[in-house]
Amino acid sequence: MFFREQEEFRKVIDRCVEEEFLRGVCDKYHYLPEDRERMRQTALVMQGIIEKEAFFQHALKEGEKLFDSVVISLGEGIDRLQDAYSEKGELTSAYMVEILAGELLLIAYTAYNQYMERTTDCHVARYYFPGSEKEYPLTMISSILSRLSTPVICNECYCMIPKQSVAFLALLTKDKSVRCPGICVGCGRKDCPNSSHRERPLPYGYARILGKEFI
């Protein structure tokens, strides 16, 4: 389903260019005031792509526990946009695409939660991410994708294409006393670039070219 077709995900598209969101991104990643207009222009271009291409798919699997296999993607146009900026040497804009996409995907988790509560009698109890713990290895990405008729693919290095995509399992419940406290809770990865508790590190290439310290 495209983001534009569901009210919860439609909010992600709208949020992309909201002043409060863009100001928060600039503050989080320590951009200067003079960078904010470029951030806004980059977000505006991204919004047009996301409006056309962003989608999510899910497939419920009932058993002793109810799991939902989920893929959320901003679409291949975002990859092409980032590549185009890089090819023209506009690396600041290319990295802005990277961080804006990451922040929008974080918002999309909330949209997914709200969508499930509206369309089913269940809600999310916990997320399980490929590679986050021993019981859920990276190879799980392939099994999630195989359950869905999605254009997202996984290469031999377990990188998804389009790049700005996520795949996960959501444990669902009808128990109102059990509710997922956040996507980072229960995840054992200390180096996760999407951690909600710290900003995403620069990819090595951007770090070197933009003169930032690579962590």
Side-chain angles (χ1 to χ4, degrees):
M1 288 174 280
F2 288 108
F3 276 23
R4 62 179 181 267
E5 296 173 344
Q6 301 297 330
E7 60 185 81
E8 296 82 4
F9 285 89
R10 177 76 227 182
K11 293 176 183 177
V12 180
I13 301 173
D14 296 338
R15 185 74 169 152
C16 184
V17 294
E18 289 180 0
E19 184 62 31
E20 181 184 3
F21 169 71
L22 294 175
R23 188 186 310 114
V25 173
C26 286
D27 290 345
K28 181 176 180 179
Y29 295 93
H30 311 297
Y31 281 97
L32 298 174
E34 53 263 36
D35 295 319
R36 290 181 180 175
E37 179 58 24
R38 179 182 287 196
M39 182 74 77
R40 190 185 72 82
Q41 291 296 332
T42 303
L44 190 62
V45 176
M46 290 177 64
Q47 186 187 48
I49 296 170
I50 294 169
E51 169 81 40
K52 294 178 181 178
E53 298 186 15
F55 68 91
F56 73 102
Q57 292 184 339
H58 69 108
L60 292 168
K61 183 178 181 181
E62 294 196 41
E64 185 177 343
K65 295 182 178 180
L66 180 60
F67 280 98
D68 198 18
S69 298
V70 187
V71 169
I72 300 174
S73 178
L74 299 185
E76 62 181 356
I78 298 297
D79 290 356
R80 291 196 299 269
L81 176 65
Q82 190 172 34
D83 290 343
Y85 282 138
S86 296
E87 289 169 4
K88 290 187 290 186
E90 298 179 12
L91 296 180
T92 297
S93 294
Y95 186 61
M96 284 180 173
V97 173
E98 181 78 15
I99 62 174
L100 284 167
E103 294 299 315
L104 291 170
L105 285 171
L106 287 174
I107 297 172
Y109 290 110
T110 300
Y112 166 75
N113 285 11
Q114 295 170 345
Y115 170 80
M116 293 305 292
E117 289 200 49
R118 179 174 65 84
T119 60
T120 74
D121 57 354
C122 297
H123 58 270
V124 177
R126 185 178 174 185
Y127 289 104
Y128 293 92
F129 294 94
S132 62
E133 50 192 290
K134 184 178 180 180
E135 292 80 6
Y136 299 92
L138 278 174
T139 53
M140 190 176 78
I141 295 175
S142 298
S143 63
I144 292 174
L145 296 179
S146 68
R147 298 183 193 126
L148 303 164
S149 57
T150 172
V152 176
I153 62 173
C154 176
N155 65 22
E156 59 185 13
C157 296
Y158 300 107
C159 294
M160 285 185 288
I161 304 172
K163 292 184 294 183
Q164 302 301 341
S165 305
V166 291
F168 58 92
L169 292 179
L171 175 62
L172 304 180
T173 181
K174 297 180 181 180
D175 187 345
K176 294 183 179 180
S177 67
V178 178
R179 191 172 293 273
C180 179
I183 67 166
C184 295
V185 176
C187 176
R189 286 189 60 186
K190 304 298 184 183
D191 62 340
C192 177
N194 284 321
S195 172
S196 61
H197 304 299
R198 63 181 180 86
E199 60 192 62
R200 303 175 81 194
L202 285 166
Y204 183 73
Y206 291 122
R208 295 288 293 176
I209 296 170
L210 296 176
K212 304 290 186 180
E213 180 182 358
F214 180 68
I215 300 175

